[in-house]
Amino acid sequence: MKKAMCKRTRRAFFTAVMIAATLPASLLFGCKKQAKESNLENGKPGVVQEKEAEAVLNPTGSVDFEGQFKKGLSNITPDGLAYCLVYSDAGAGHAYYDSYFSRDKGKTWTKGTFYDEINGDNTHIAMQDGSIVLFSNHSPRGETYPSAFRLYPEGKGIKSEGLGDIFAGAKLGDGRAVDSGIDVNYEVTYVGKERFLFHFTDAQTKEDLGTVEVSVPKAGSF
């Protein structure tokens, strides 16, 4: 009886081994997901990639281009210049960033001049045109709804250019204009090209004020 059971057990074991040998390795061990190219590797501005951030060494430390890109603080211009802003310090209503530049897809970086930004409810977004757009609200300037600026490389530093009132003519769900007559908090989603969706809530009552779609002016050459 015991001998028969041992024979059946051995047959079952060898059958399992033979079946396993015919199965695709992916079913036995799982598929290994390949990481996509980083923004630096593909040289394309404003395109989010699914790859863990890798630190790129420079003489003063490291520049995490992909990590900063997700924060909207790095990008690549159409002619292939990679640039990155790294938070450095703050004081008296200002935030200071070090600027870094690379022409060889992040192999070497050159440190530029510092970039000075007014503190506030600030959101940076890396654009498909290679620039960075900054939305700022409740800063020392006294905004009650977001103002817009374009950041881009110029010389050895980063230039900031005001984009005017991008909400001119925009209406909330209740018909009110988006202007200084309201005080809002915001969340912004980049739709693509020059388009954004802003979701507003009343800064005082936290009432949901709905979503507004706006566009920023197209970037010139830089």
Side-chain angles (χ1 to χ4, degrees):
M1 180 74 175
K2 289 183 178 180
K3 288 182 179 180
M5 291 182 63
C6 287
K7 287 181 180 179
R8 285 196 296 270
T9 301
R10 284 197 295 270
R11 282 199 299 270
F13 171 77
F14 286 116
T15 300
V17 170
M18 294 300 293
I19 292 173
T22 64
L23 291 175
S26 60
L27 293 179
L28 293 175
F29 305 107
C31 296
K32 184 178 180 181
K33 185 178 181 181
Q34 294 182 344
K36 295 182 180 179
E37 288 184 331
S38 71
N39 291 281
L40 281 177
E41 289 168 346
N42 66 31
K44 295 178 181 178
V47 180
V48 178
Q49 302 294 327
E50 296 176 4
K51 181 177 179 180
E52 291 185 5
E54 296 179 357
V56 182
L57 296 179
N58 63 66
T60 60
S62 64
V63 174
D64 179 2
F65 180 92
E66 296 299 320
Q68 294 302 93
F69 181 86
K70 293 175 182 177
K71 299 176 185 177
L73 291 171
S74 67
N75 211 340
I76 303 172
T77 64
D79 67 352
L81 174 65
Y83 63 102
C84 187
L85 292 171
V86 179
Y87 178 79
S88 173
D89 200 359
H94 292 258
Y96 304 108
Y97 294 81
D98 291 325
S99 63
Y100 296 90
F101 303 89
S102 176
R103 280 284 183 189
D104 55 11
K105 298 186 177 181
K107 293 178 182 179
T108 58
W109 290 89
T110 300
K111 187 174 181 178
T113 59
F114 77 92
Y115 163 68
D116 178 1
E117 184 171 285
I118 293 181
N119 270 329
D121 182 6
N122 293 350
T123 302
H124 303 84
I125 295 178
M127 299 284 287
Q128 291 175 344
D129 59 24
S131 68
I132 292 171
V133 166
L134 162 66
F135 297 110
S136 181
N137 194 26
H138 296 146
S139 78
R141 288 182 293 255
E143 304 100 336
T144 58
Y145 66 103
S147 54
F149 303 84
R150 175 174 282 110
L151 313 183
Y152 56 91
E154 183 175 87
K156 296 182 179 179
I158 301 297
K159 184 174 181 178
S160 176
E161 174 186 85
L163 297 180
D165 187 356
I166 63 172
F167 295 99
K171 302 287 185 180
L172 296 171
D174 59 9
R176 286 185 295 167
V178 181
D179 57 22
S180 58
I182 64 170
D183 185 4
V184 296
N185 294 325
Y186 75 97
E187 293 180 355
V188 59
T189 301
Y190 182 37
V191 180
K193 294 187 177 179
E194 291 80 36
R195 296 167 53 231
F196 298 87
L197 291 177
F198 280 83
H199 187 82
F200 291 118
T201 54
D202 189 288
Q204 309 303 321
T205 66
K206 311 306 178 186
E207 176 189 358
D208 190 325
L209 299 177
T211 300
V212 175
E213 180 176 339
V214 297
S215 296
V216 299
K218 288 186 177 181
S221 58
F222 52 87

